Coordinates of all heavy atoms in Angstrom, one line a residue:
G608 N 0.8 -1.1 0.0 CA 0.0 0.1 0.0 C 0.8 1.3 0.0 O 2.0 1.4 -0.5
R609 N 0.2 2.3 0.6 CA 0.8 3.5 0.7 C 2.0 3.6 1.7 O 1.9 2.9 2.7 CB -0.2 4.5 0.9 CG -1.3 4.7 -0.3 CD -1.8 5.9 -0.2 NE -2.0 6.4 -1.6 CZ -2.6 7.5 -1.8 NH1 -3.0 8.4 -0.9 NH2 -2.7 7.9 -3.1
V610 N 2.8 4.5 1.5 CA 3.9 4.8 2.5 C 3.6 6.1 3.3 O 3.2 7.1 2.5 CB 5.3 4.8 1.8 CG1 6.3 5.2 2.7 CG2 5.6 3.5 1.0
A611 N 3.6 6.0 4.5 CA 3.5 7.2 5.2 C 4.6 8.4 4.9 O 5.7 8.0 4.6 CB 3.5 6.9 6.8
P612 N 4.2 9.6 4.9 CA 5.1 10.6 4.5 C 6.4 10.7 5.3 O 7.4 10.9 4.7 CB 4.3 11.9 4.6 CG 2.9 11.5 4.7 CD 2.8 10.2 5.1
A613 N 6.4 10.3 6.5 CA 7.6 10.2 7.4 C 8.6 9.1 7.0 O 9.7 9.3 7.0 CB 7.2 10.1 8.9
A614 N 7.9 8.1 6.3 CA 8.8 7.1 5.9 C 9.6 7.4 4.6 O 10.5 6.7 4.2 CB 8.0 5.9 5.6
F615 N 9.2 8.4 3.9 CA 10.1 8.8 2.6 C 11.6 9.1 3.0 O 12.3 8.9 2.1 CB 9.4 9.9 2.0 CG 8.2 9.6 1.2 CD1 6.9 10.1 1.5 CD2 8.4 8.7 0.1 CE1 5.9 9.7 0.8 CE2 7.2 8.3 -0.6 CZ 5.9 8.8 -0.2
G616 N 11.9 9.4 4.2 CA 13.3 9.6 4.6 C 13.9 8.4 5.1 O 15.2 8.4 5.4
D617 N 13.2 7.2 5.1 CA 13.8 5.9 5.7 C 14.7 5.3 4.6 O 14.5 5.0 3.6 CB 12.6 5.0 6.0 CG 13.0 3.7 6.6 OD1 14.2 3.6 6.9 OD2 12.2 2.8 6.6
A618 N 16.1 5.1 5.1 CA 17.1 4.6 4.2 C 16.6 3.2 3.7 O 17.0 2.9 2.6 CB 18.5 4.7 4.9
E619 N 16.1 2.4 4.6 CA 15.7 1.0 4.2 C 14.8 1.1 3.1 O 14.7 0.2 2.1 CB 15.2 0.2 5.4 CG 16.2 -0.2 6.3 CD 15.8 -1.1 7.4 OE1 14.8 -1.9 7.2 OE2 16.3 -0.9 8.5
L620 N 13.8 2.0 3.2 CA 12.8 2.1 2.1 C 13.4 2.4 0.7 O 13.2 1.6 -0.3 CB 11.8 3.2 2.3 CG 10.8 3.5 1.2 CD1 9.7 2.5 1.2 CD2 10.2 4.9 1.5
W621 N 14.3 3.3 0.6 CA 15.1 3.7 -0.6 C 16.1 2.5 -1.0 O 16.3 2.3 -2.2 CB 15.7 5.0 -0.4 CG 14.8 6.1 -0.4 CD1 14.5 6.9 0.8 CD2 13.9 6.6 -1.4 NE1 13.5 7.7 0.4 CE2 13.0 7.5 -0.8 CE3 13.7 6.1 -2.6 CZ2 12.1 8.1 -1.6 CZ3 12.7 6.7 -3.4 CH2 12.0 7.8 -2.9
Q622 N 16.7 1.9 -0.1 CA 17.6 0.8 -0.4 C 17.0 -0.4 -1.1 O 17.4 -0.9 -2.1 CB 18.3 0.3 0.8 CG 19.5 1.2 1.3 CD 19.9 0.8 2.7 OE1 19.5 0.0 3.3 NE2 21.1 1.5 3.1
G623 N 15.7 -0.7 -0.6 CA 14.9 -1.8 -1.2 C 14.4 -1.4 -2.6 O 14.5 -2.2 -3.6
F624 N 14.1 -0.2 -2.7 CA 13.5 0.6 -4.0 C 14.8 0.4 -5.1 O 14.6 -0.1 -6.1 CB 13.1 1.8 -4.0 CG 12.8 2.5 -5.2 CD1 11.7 2.3 -5.9 CD2 13.7 3.4 -5.7 CE1 11.4 2.8 -7.0 CE2 13.6 4.1 -7.0 CZ 12.4 3.8 -7.7
A625 N 16.0 0.8 -4.5 CA 17.2 0.8 -5.4 C 17.5 -0.6 -5.9 O 17.8 -0.8 -7.0 CB 18.4 1.5 -4.7
R626 N 17.4 -1.5 -4.8 CA 17.9 -3.0 -5.3 C 16.9 -3.5 -6.4 O 17.4 -4.1 -7.4 CB 17.6 -3.9 -4.1 CG 18.9 -4.3 -3.5 CD 18.7 -5.3 -2.4 NE 17.5 -5.1 -1.5 CZ 17.4 -4.5 -0.4 NH1 18.6 -3.8 -0.1 NH2 16.5 -4.4 0.3
R627 N 15.5 -3.2 -6.2 CA 14.5 -3.8 -7.2 C 14.7 -3.0 -8.5 O 14.7 -3.6 -9.7 CB 13.1 -3.5 -6.7 CG 12.8 -4.4 -5.5 CD 11.3 -4.2 -5.1 NE 11.0 -2.9 -4.8 CZ 11.0 -2.6 -3.6 NH1 11.4 -3.1 -2.6 NH2 10.5 -1.2 -3.4
R628 N 15.0 -1.7 -8.5 CA 15.3 -0.8 -9.6 C 16.4 -1.4 -10.4 O 16.5 -1.4 -11.7 CB 15.1 0.5 -9.3 CG 15.0 1.5 -10.4 CD 13.7 1.3 -11.3 NE 13.8 1.9 -12.5 CZ 13.7 1.3 -13.6 NH1 13.3 0.1 -13.6 NH2 13.9 1.8 -14.8
R629 N 17.5 -1.5 -9.7 CA 18.7 -2.0 -10.3 C 18.6 -3.3 -11.0 O 19.1 -3.4 -12.2 CB 19.8 -2.1 -9.3 CG 21.1 -2.3 -9.8 CD 22.4 -2.3 -8.6 NE 21.9 -2.7 -7.3 CZ 21.8 -1.7 -6.3 NH1 21.9 -0.5 -6.6 NH2 21.5 -2.1 -5.2
L630 N 18.0 -4.2 -10.5 CA 17.7 -5.5 -11.2 C 16.9 -5.3 -12.5 O 17.3 -5.8 -13.4 CB 16.9 -6.5 -10.2 CG 16.5 -7.9 -10.8 CD1 17.8 -8.5 -11.4 CD2 15.7 -8.6 -10.0
R631 N 15.9 -4.5 -12.4 CA 15.1 -4.3 -13.6 C 16.0 -3.6 -14.7 O 16.0 -3.9 -15.9 CB 13.9 -3.5 -13.3 CG 12.8 -4.1 -12.6 CD 11.7 -3.3 -12.2 NE 11.1 -2.6 -13.4 CZ 10.5 -3.2 -14.4 NH1 10.1 -4.5 -14.2 NH2 10.0 -2.6 -15.4
A632 N 16.8 -2.6 -14.2 CA 17.7 -1.8 -15.2 C 18.6 -2.8 -15.8 O 18.9 -2.8 -17.0 CB 18.3 -0.7 -14.4
E633 N 19.3 -3.6 -15.0 CA 20.2 -4.7 -15.6 C 19.5 -5.6 -16.7 O 20.2 -5.8 -17.7 CB 20.7 -5.5 -14.5 CG 21.8 -4.8 -13.7 CD 22.3 -5.6 -12.5 OE1 22.2 -6.8 -12.4 OE2 22.9 -5.0 -11.4
V634 N 18.3 -6.0 -16.4 CA 17.6 -6.9 -17.4 C 17.4 -6.1 -18.6 O 17.8 -6.6 -19.7 CB 16.4 -7.3 -16.7 CG1 15.5 -8.1 -17.9 CG2 16.6 -8.3 -15.7
M635 N 17.0 -4.8 -18.6 CA 16.8 -4.1 -19.8 C 18.1 -3.9 -20.5 O 18.1 -3.8 -21.7 CB 16.1 -2.8 -19.4 CG 14.6 -3.0 -19.0 SD 13.6 -4.0 -20.1 CE 13.6 -3.1 -21.6
V636 N 19.1 -3.5 -19.8 CA 20.5 -3.2 -20.4 C 20.9 -4.4 -21.2 O 21.4 -4.5 -22.4 CB 21.5 -2.8 -19.3 CG1 22.9 -2.8 -19.9 CG2 21.1 -1.3 -18.9
R637 N 20.9 -5.6 -20.5 CA 21.2 -6.8 -21.1 C 20.4 -7.0 -22.4 O 20.9 -7.6 -23.4 CB 21.2 -8.1 -20.2 CG 22.2 -8.0 -19.1 CD 22.2 -9.1 -18.1 NE 23.1 -8.8 -17.0 CZ 24.3 -9.3 -16.9 NH1 24.8 -10.1 -17.8 NH2 24.9 -9.1 -15.8
A638 N 19.2 -6.9 -22.3 CA 18.2 -7.0 -23.5 C 18.6 -6.2 -24.7 O 18.8 -6.5 -25.9 CB 16.8 -6.8 -23.1
M639 N 19.0 -4.9 -24.3 CA 19.4 -4.0 -25.4 C 20.7 -4.3 -26.0 O 21.0 -4.1 -27.1 CB 19.4 -2.4 -24.8 CG 18.0 -2.0 -24.6 SD 16.9 -2.0 -26.0 CE 15.9 -3.4 -25.7
D640 N 21.6 -4.8 -25.0 CA 23.0 -5.4 -25.5 C 22.8 -6.4 -26.6 O 23.4 -6.5 -27.6 CB 23.8 -5.7 -24.4 CG 24.3 -4.6 -23.6 OD1 24.3 -3.4 -24.1 OD2 24.9 -4.7 -22.5
A641 N 21.8 -7.5 -26.3 CA 21.8 -8.5 -27.1 C 21.0 -8.0 -28.3 O 21.4 -8.6 -29.5 CB 20.7 -9.5 -26.4
F642 N 20.2 -7.1 -28.3 CA 19.5 -6.5 -29.5 C 20.7 -5.9 -30.5 O 20.7 -6.1 -31.6 CB 18.5 -5.5 -29.1 CG 17.5 -5.0 -30.1 CD1 16.6 -5.9 -30.7 CD2 17.6 -3.7 -30.6 CE1 15.7 -5.5 -31.7 CE2 16.7 -3.2 -31.5 CZ 15.9 -4.1 -32.2
A643 N 21.4 -5.1 -29.8 CA 22.5 -4.4 -30.5 C 23.5 -5.5 -31.3 O 24.0 -5.2 -32.3 CB 23.4 -3.5 -29.6
F644 N 23.8 -6.5 -30.4 CA 24.7 -7.4 -30.9 C 24.0 -8.1 -32.2 O 24.8 -8.4 -33.2 CB 25.0 -8.4 -29.7 CG 25.9 -9.7 -30.2 CD1 27.3 -9.4 -30.3 CD2 25.3 -10.9 -30.5 CE1 28.0 -10.4 -30.6 CE2 26.2 -11.9 -30.8 CZ 27.7 -11.6 -30.9
A645 N 22.8 -8.5 -32.0 CA 22.1 -9.0 -33.1 C 22.2 -8.3 -34.5 O 22.3 -8.7 -35.5 CB 20.8 -9.4 -32.8
Y646 N 22.2 -6.8 -34.3 CA 22.3 -6.1 -35.5 C 23.7 -5.9 -35.9 O 23.8 -5.6 -37.1 CB 21.7 -4.6 -35.0 CG 20.2 -4.6 -35.4 CD1 19.3 -4.8 -34.5 CD2 19.8 -4.3 -36.8 CE1 18.0 -4.7 -34.8 CE2 18.4 -4.2 -37.0 CZ 17.5 -4.5 -36.0 OH 16.2 -4.3 -36.3
K647 N 24.7 -6.3 -35.2 CA 26.1 -6.2 -35.7 C 26.5 -7.4 -36.4 O 27.4 -7.5 -37.2 CB 27.0 -6.0 -34.5 CG 26.9 -4.6 -33.9 CD 27.9 -4.4 -32.8 CE 27.6 -3.1 -32.0 NZ 28.4 -3.0 -30.9
L648 N 25.8 -8.5 -36.2 CA 26.2 -9.8 -36.8 C 25.9 -9.8 -38.4 O 24.9 -9.2 -38.9 CB 25.4 -11.0 -36.3 CG 25.7 -11.4 -34.8 CD1 24.9 -12.4 -34.3 CD2 27.1 -11.6 -34.5
A649 N 26.9 -10.4 -39.1 CA 26.7 -10.4 -40.6 C 26.2 -11.7 -41.1 O 26.0 -11.9 -42.3 CB 28.1 -10.2 -41.3
D650 N 25.7 -12.5 -40.2 CA 25.3 -14.0 -40.7 C 23.9 -13.8 -41.2 O 22.9 -13.2 -40.5 CB 25.3 -14.8 -39.4 CG 24.8 -16.3 -39.8 OD1 24.0 -16.5 -40.7 OD2 25.2 -17.2 -39.0
P651 N 23.7 -14.2 -42.5 CA 22.4 -14.0 -43.1 C 21.3 -14.7 -42.4 O 20.2 -14.2 -42.3 CB 22.5 -14.6 -44.5 CG 24.1 -14.6 -44.7 CD 24.7 -14.6 -43.4
T652 N 21.5 -15.9 -41.8 CA 20.6 -16.5 -41.0 C 20.1 -15.8 -39.8 O 18.9 -15.6 -39.5 CB 21.0 -18.0 -40.7 OG1 21.4 -18.6 -41.9 CG2 19.9 -18.8 -40.1
V653 N 21.1 -15.3 -39.1 CA 20.8 -14.4 -37.8 C 20.0 -13.3 -38.3 O 19.1 -12.9 -37.5 CB 22.1 -14.2 -37.2 CG1 21.8 -13.3 -36.0 CG2 22.7 -15.5 -36.7
N654 N 20.5 -12.6 -39.3 CA 19.8 -11.5 -39.8 C 18.3 -11.8 -40.0 O 17.4 -10.9 -39.9 CB 20.5 -10.8 -40.9 CG 21.8 -10.3 -40.5 OD1 22.2 -10.0 -39.3 ND2 22.7 -10.0 -41.6
W655 N 18.1 -12.9 -40.8 CA 16.7 -13.2 -41.2 C 15.8 -13.5 -39.9 O 14.7 -13.0 -39.8 CB 16.7 -14.4 -42.1 CG 15.3 -14.8 -42.4 CD1 14.5 -14.4 -43.5 CD2 14.6 -15.9 -41.8 NE1 13.3 -15.0 -43.5 CE2 13.3 -15.9 -42.5 CE3 14.7 -16.8 -40.7 CZ2 12.3 -16.8 -42.1 CZ3 13.8 -17.6 -40.3 CH2 12.6 -17.6 -41.1
L656 N 16.4 -14.3 -39.0 CA 15.7 -14.4 -37.6 C 15.4 -13.2 -36.8 O 14.2 -13.1 -36.4 CB 16.4 -15.4 -36.8 CG 16.6 -16.9 -37.2 CD1 17.6 -17.7 -36.5 CD2 15.3 -17.5 -37.1
R657 N 16.4 -12.3 -36.8 CA 16.2 -11.0 -36.2 C 15.1 -10.2 -36.9 O 14.2 -9.7 -36.2 CB 17.5 -10.2 -36.2 CG 17.4 -9.0 -35.5 CD 18.5 -7.9 -36.1 NE 18.3 -7.6 -37.4 CZ 19.3 -7.5 -38.2 NH1 20.4 -7.8 -37.9 NH2 19.0 -7.2 -39.6
N658 N 15.1 -10.2 -38.2 CA 14.1 -9.4 -38.9 C 12.7 -10.0 -38.8 O 11.7 -9.3 -38.6 CB 14.5 -9.2 -40.5 CG 15.7 -8.4 -40.7 OD1 16.0 -7.7 -39.8 ND2 16.4 -8.6 -41.8
V659 N 12.6 -11.3 -38.7 CA 11.3 -12.0 -38.4 C 10.8 -11.6 -37.1 O 9.6 -11.3 -36.9 CB 11.4 -13.4 -38.6 CG1 10.1 -14.2 -38.1 CG2 11.7 -13.8 -40.1
A660 N 11.6 -11.6 -36.1 CA 11.3 -11.4 -34.7 C 10.8 -9.9 -34.5 O 9.8 -9.6 -33.9 CB 12.5 -11.6 -33.8
V661 N 11.5 -8.9 -35.3 CA 11.2 -7.5 -35.3 C 9.8 -7.4 -35.9 O 8.9 -6.6 -35.4 CB 12.3 -6.7 -35.8 CG1 11.9 -5.3 -35.9 CG2 13.5 -6.6 -34.9
D662 N 9.6 -7.9 -37.0 CA 8.4 -7.9 -37.7 C 7.2 -8.5 -36.9 O 6.1 -7.8 -36.8 CB 8.4 -8.7 -39.0 CG 9.2 -7.9 -40.1 OD1 9.5 -6.7 -40.0 OD2 9.6 -8.6 -41.2
L663 N 7.4 -9.6 -36.3 CA 6.4 -10.0 -35.4 C 6.0 -9.1 -34.2 O 4.9 -8.9 -33.9 CB 6.9 -11.4 -34.6 CG 6.9 -12.6 -35.7 CD1 7.5 -13.8 -35.0 CD2 5.5 -13.0 -36.1
L664 N 7.1 -8.5 -33.6 CA 6.8 -7.5 -32.6 C 6.1 -6.4 -33.1 O 5.2 -5.8 -32.6 CB 8.2 -7.0 -32.0 CG 8.1 -6.0 -30.9 CD1 7.3 -6.6 -29.7 CD2 9.5 -5.7 -30.4
N665 N 6.5 -5.9 -34.3 CA 5.8 -4.6 -34.8 C 4.3 -5.0 -35.2 O 3.5 -4.1 -35.2 CB 6.5 -4.3 -36.1 CG 7.6 -3.4 -35.9 OD1 7.7 -2.7 -34.7 ND2 8.7 -3.4 -36.7
N666 N 4.0 -6.2 -35.6 CA 2.6 -6.6 -35.8 C 1.9 -7.1 -34.5 O 0.8 -7.6 -34.8 CB 2.7 -7.8 -36.9 CG 3.1 -7.1 -38.3 OD1 2.6 -5.9 -38.6 ND2 4.1 -7.7 -38.9
A667 N 2.4 -7.1 -33.4 CA 1.7 -7.4 -32.1 C 1.7 -6.2 -31.2 O 2.4 -6.1 -30.3 CB 2.4 -8.6 -31.6
P668 N 0.8 -5.2 -31.5 CA 0.8 -4.0 -30.6 C 0.6 -4.4 -29.2 O 1.5 -3.5 -28.4 CB -0.4 -3.3 -31.2 CG -0.6 -3.7 -32.5 CD 0.0 -5.1 -32.6
P669 N 0.0 -5.2 -28.7 CA 0.0 -5.5 -27.2 C 1.3 -5.9 -26.6 O 1.6 -5.4 -25.6 CB -1.1 -6.5 -27.0 CG -1.9 -6.5 -28.2 CD -1.1 -6.1 -29.3
L670 N 2.0 -6.7 -27.4 CA 3.3 -7.2 -27.0 C 4.4 -6.1 -27.0 O 5.1 -5.8 -26.0 CB 3.8 -8.3 -27.8 CG 5.2 -9.0 -27.5 CD1 5.3 -9.3 -26.0 CD2 5.6 -9.9 -28.4
K671 N 4.3 -5.2 -28.1 CA 5.1 -4.1 -28.3 C 4.9 -3.0 -27.1 O 5.8 -2.6 -26.5 CB 4.8 -3.5 -29.6 CG 5.8 -2.4 -30.1 CD 5.4 -2.0 -31.5 CE 6.3 -0.8 -31.9 NZ 6.0 -0.5 -33.4
R672 N 3.6 -2.7 -26.8 CA 3.3 -1.9 -25.7 C 3.9 -2.3 -24.3 O 4.2 -1.6 -23.6 CB 1.8 -1.8 -25.7 CG 1.2 -0.7 -24.8 CD -0.2 -0.3 -25.0 NE -1.1 -1.4 -25.4 CZ -1.6 -1.7 -26.7 NH1 -1.2 -0.8 -27.7 NH2 -2.3 -2.6 -27.1
Q673 N 3.7 -3.7 -24.2 CA 4.2 -4.4 -22.9 C 5.6 -4.1 -22.7 O 6.2 -3.8 -21.6 CB 3.7 -5.7 -22.7 CG 4.1 -6.4 -21.4 CD 3.3 -5.5 -20.2 OE1 2.2 -5.3 -20.3 NE2 4.1 -5.4 -19.2
L674 N 6.4 -4.5 -23.9 CA 7.8 -4.2 -23.7 C 8.2 -2.7 -23.4 O 9.2 -2.4 -22.7 CB 8.4 -4.7 -25.2 CG 8.5 -6.1 -25.3 CD1 9.0 -6.5 -26.8 CD2 9.5 -6.9 -24.3
L675 N 7.5 -1.7 -24.1 CA 7.7 -0.3 -23.7 C 7.4 0.0 -22.3 O 8.3 0.5 -21.7 CB 6.9 0.4 -24.8 CG 7.1 1.9 -24.6 CD1 8.5 2.3 -24.7 CD2 6.1 2.6 -25.5
R676 N 6.4 -0.6 -21.7 CA 6.1 -0.4 -20.4 C 7.1 -1.0 -19.5 O 7.5 -0.3 -18.5 CB 4.6 -1.0 -20.1 CG 3.6 -0.3 -20.6 CD 2.2 -0.8 -20.3 NE 1.9 -0.9 -18.9 CZ 1.7 0.0 -18.1 NH1 1.5 1.2 -18.5 NH2 1.4 -0.3 -16.7
E677 N 7.6 -2.2 -19.8 CA 8.6 -2.8 -19.0 C 10.0 -2.0 -19.0 O 10.6 -1.6 -18.1 CB 9.0 -4.2 -19.5 CG 8.0 -5.2 -19.4 CD 7.6 -5.4 -17.9 OE1 8.4 -5.2 -17.0 OE2 6.5 -5.7 -17.7
A678 N 10.3 -1.4 -20.3 CA 11.5 -0.6 -20.5 C 11.3 0.8 -19.6 O 12.3 1.3 -19.1 CB 11.8 -0.2 -21.9
L679 N 10.1 1.1 -19.4 CA 9.9 2.5 -18.7 C 9.8 2.2 -17.3 O 9.7 3.1 -16.4 CB 8.7 3.2 -19.2 CG 8.8 3.6 -20.6 CD1 7.4 4.2 -21.2 CD2 9.8 4.8 -20.7
G680 N 9.7 0.9 -16.8 CA 9.6 0.6 -15.4 C 8.1 0.5 -15.0 O 7.9 0.5 -13.7
F681 N 7.1 0.4 -15.8 CA 5.9 0.4 -15.4 C 5.1 -0.9 -15.7 O 3.9 -1.1 -15.7 CB 5.0 1.6 -16.0 CG 5.6 2.9 -15.8 CD1 6.0 3.7 -16.7 CD2 5.3 3.3 -14.4 CE1 6.6 5.0 -16.4 CE2 5.7 4.6 -14.2 CZ 6.3 5.4 -15.0
G682 N 5.9 -1.9 -16.1 CA 5.3 -3.2 -16.6 C 4.9 -4.1 -15.5 O 5.0 -3.7 -14.3
I683 N 4.4 -5.4 -15.7 CA 4.0 -6.3 -14.8 C 5.1 -6.7 -13.9 O 4.9 -7.2 -12.7 CB 3.4 -7.5 -15.3 CG1 4.4 -8.2 -16.3 CG2 2.1 -7.1 -16.1 CD1 3.8 -9.5 -16.8
F684 N 6.4 -6.5 -14.2 CA 7.6 -6.8 -13.5 C 8.1 -5.7 -12.6 O 9.2 -5.8 -12.1 CB 8.7 -7.4 -14.4 CG 8.3 -8.7 -15.1 CD1 8.0 -8.6 -16.5 CD2 7.9 -9.8 -14.3 CE1 7.6 -9.8 -17.1 CE2 7.5 -11.0 -15.0 CZ 7.4 -11.0 -16.5
A685 N 7.4 -4.5 -12.7 CA 7.8 -3.4 -12.0 C 7.6 -3.7 -10.4 O 6.9 -4.5 -9.9 CB 6.9 -2.2 -12.4
P686 N 8.5 -3.0 -9.7 CA 8.4 -3.3 -8.3 C 7.1 -2.6 -7.7 O 6.5 -1.7 -8.3 CB 9.6 -2.3 -7.7 CG 10.2 -1.7 -8.8 CD 9.6 -2.0 -10.1
P687 N 6.6 -3.3 -6.7 CA 5.3 -2.8 -6.1 C 5.3 -1.4 -5.7 O 6.4 -0.9 -5.2 CB 5.0 -3.7 -4.9 CG 6.3 -4.5 -4.8 CD 7.1 -4.4 -5.9
R688 N 4.3 -0.7 -5.9 CA 4.3 0.8 -5.6 C 3.4 0.9 -4.1 O 2.6 0.2 -3.9 CB 3.5 1.5 -6.5 CG 4.3 1.6 -7.8 CD 3.9 2.6 -8.7 NE 4.8 2.6 -9.9 CZ 4.7 2.1 -11.1 NH1 3.4 1.8 -11.4 NH2 5.5 2.2 -12.0

């Protein structure tokens, strides 16, 4: 639930938030690294698979929207508020 205003200065509250946020950020950074790596490869098979995956994502607005929400920190894997 809600946090009492006095608790906003509580170091433990912020440490827990930072831990959860750091994990989410690491997952997104690794995903973006993998994405960038896939674009650097010159293998035609890998390029084809990557292009198919991107096309599928572009043609699935709910999935695309969810990935964007996750990247922004508002998805289903977001820390509880």
Side-chain angles (χ1 to χ4, degrees):
R609 293 198 141 182
V610 176
F615 282 114
D617 182 10
E619 285 185 37
L620 172 75
W621 291 110
Q622 288 171 348
F624 172 79
R626 253 190 322 274
R627 291 186 304 271
R628 193 62 200 118
R629 187 172 27 257
L630 176 61
R631 292 180 52 73
E633 286 177 19
V634 168
M635 290 310 297
V636 166
R637 288 177 192 265
M639 292 300 102
D640 285 346
F642 192 68
F644 181 75
Y646 270 95
K647 290 179 183 177
L648 294 176
D650 183 330
T652 304
V653 172
N654 291 343
W655 179 82
L656 286 170
R657 181 203 62 224
N658 291 340
V659 168
V661 170
D662 284 344
L663 287 171
L664 180 62
N665 279 332
N666 290 312
L670 179 58
K671 190 175 180 179
R672 189 170 29 258
Q673 186 61 41
L674 285 173
L675 180 58
R676 288 180 56 77
E677 293 299 333
L679 293 171
F681 298 113
I683 59 173
F684 300 109
R688 294 193 172 110

